[in-house]
Amino acid sequence: MAPSPYRDEAVIGFSDYYLMTRSKQEGPTLFLVFKRTIDILGSLAGLILLSPLFAIMAILIKWEDPSGPVFFYQTRVGKNERLFRMYKLRSMYTDAEERLKDLLDKNEISGAMFKMRNDPRVTKVGKFIRKTSIDELPQLINVLRGEMSLVGPRPPLTREVAEYTNYDKKRLAVTPGCTGLWQVSGRNNLSFKEMVDLDITYIEKRCIVLDMKIILRTVRAMFGAKDAF
């Protein structure tokens, strides 16, 4: 398999790549303990500081579509293919799942994913919170529970994993994350294969320095993202 142009130096830059290779010198246990500590402290701080924003979004979501809940969950596939409930702010109308089958032929992402730029199932408030990634913030609950990490491959749906090759399943070898290398390297402008390549690159090179860089890039992207839909 030819190497992806989105891997290694092409993604992060030479100096960052050098820092990433230091992860091979770190004890894996020490890295995981440090990473989990950051996840707990970061998710706790985020849930407390963002609680006023959650309240505002709850009012707007219920105002536009009173019949549905503020939060919703999906069954996602985590580390080693374990299933868990991933939480989000609701950005779609309540019948979104039922309407999906009629939209599958309009998928704008190749491979085992579904993305549609002008998805008619998305509410007006939903378009805003998706554009800014605010809809993803309740996943801090999943991080606190240990089902997700702040940084890692995005957890896929079960129907997506059913179409995975053995190579694709390599991205399920670690705890999934709220953000990752894919999100800060092109997001929905990338193909499914490029996303998988980026996730596997992260798994091979992950370290605290790389996690911090991804988090900082994610914060910047939330205030000017053009690739989210």
Side-chain angles (χ1 to χ4, degrees), residues 13-32:
F14 179 78
S15 61
D16 294 340
Y17 175 72
Y18 171 77
L19 290 171
M20 286 192 297
T21 59
R22 294 188 62 183
S23 64
K24 295 180 180 179
Q25 303 170 13
E26 297 175 0
T29 301
L30 179 61
F31 166 73
L32 292 176

Side-chain angles (χ1 to χ4, degrees), residues 65 89-94 96-97 119 121-123 126 130:
D65 186 15
L89 286 171
R90 183 170 60 87
S91 61
M92 291 186 172
Y93 290 103
T94 52
E97 291 298 323
D119 193 328
R121 302 173 301 158
V122 179
T123 63
R130 283 185 165 211

Side-chain angles (χ1 to χ4, degrees), residues 93-113:
Y93 290 103
T94 52
D95 62 346
E97 291 298 323
E98 291 77 10
R99 294 164 63 183
L100 176 61
K101 62 181 182 299
D102 298 324
L103 298 171
L104 290 176
D105 61 337
K106 297 178 175 61
N107 190 8
E108 298 178 21
I109 297 288
S110 61
M113 292 179 69

Side-chain angles (χ1 to χ4, degrees), residues 3-213:
S4 167
Y6 291 91
R7 292 172 68 94
D8 296 345
E9 295 97 331
V11 177
I12 298 298
F14 179 78
S15 61
D16 294 340
Y17 175 72
Y18 171 77
L19 290 171
M20 286 192 297
T21 59
R22 294 188 62 183
S23 64
K24 295 180 180 179
Q25 303 170 13
E26 297 175 0
T29 301
L30 179 61
F31 166 73
L32 292 176
V33 169
F34 194 15
K35 184 176 176 69
R36 181 61 186 149
T37 301
I38 292 175
D39 284 345
I40 293 172
L41 296 177
S43 58
L44 273 174
L47 288 169
I48 294 170
L49 293 174
L50 294 170
S51 55
L53 178 61
F54 287 146
I56 294 171
M57 290 298 105
I59 293 170
L60 293 176
I61 290 169
K62 292 296 286 186
W63 173 75
E64 183 172 6
D65 186 15
S67 63
V70 171
F71 299 94
F72 89 108
Y73 71 85
Q74 286 180 320
T75 299
R76 296 284 181 133
V77 183
K79 181 180 178 181
N80 297 327
E81 300 188 49
R82 289 196 295 267
L83 303 182
F84 70 98
R85 289 183 172 184
M86 189 185 79
Y87 298 97
K88 300 179 73 173
L89 286 171
R90 183 170 60 87
S91 61
M92 291 186 172
Y93 290 103
T94 52
D95 62 346
E97 291 298 323
E98 291 77 10
R99 294 164 63 183
L100 176 61
K101 62 181 182 299
D102 298 324
L103 298 171
L104 290 176
D105 61 337
K106 297 178 175 61
N107 190 8
E108 298 178 21
I109 297 288
S110 61
M113 292 179 69
F114 178 83
K115 290 288 184 180
M116 183 177 174
R117 189 170 298 275
N118 295 309
D119 193 328
R121 302 173 301 158
V122 179
T123 63
K124 293 178 182 179
V125 174
K127 289 179 181 178
F128 170 73
I129 62 177
R130 283 185 165 211
K131 188 74 173 178
T132 56
S133 297
I134 290 174
D135 64 319
E136 309 281 358
L137 294 177
Q139 289 159 39
L140 292 173
I141 298 171
N142 294 114
V143 175
L144 191 60
R145 293 170 54 167
E147 297 159 335
M148 293 178 65
S149 177
L150 293 176
V151 180
R154 288 295 296 160
L157 295 163
T158 54
R159 61 176 171 80
E160 295 171 345
V161 175
E163 300 179 32
Y164 275 15
T165 64
N166 288 334
Y167 176 75
D168 299 337
K169 287 185 177 181
K170 289 182 179 181
R171 66 187 300 272
L172 305 176
V174 299
T175 303
C178 297
T179 186
L181 197 53
W182 164 60
Q183 286 90 330
V184 299
S185 303
R187 200 168 178 175
N188 291 321
N189 285 334
L190 303 181
S191 68
F192 174 74
K193 179 184 179 301
E194 289 165 344
M195 181 203 73
V196 172
D197 285 344
L198 284 168
D199 284 340
I200 293 175
T201 294
Y202 170 77
I203 292 170
E204 293 172 348
K205 308 297 182 183
R206 63 188 184 141
C207 63
I208 295 301
V209 173
L210 178 57
D211 277 16
M212 293 298 99
K213 289 180 179 291

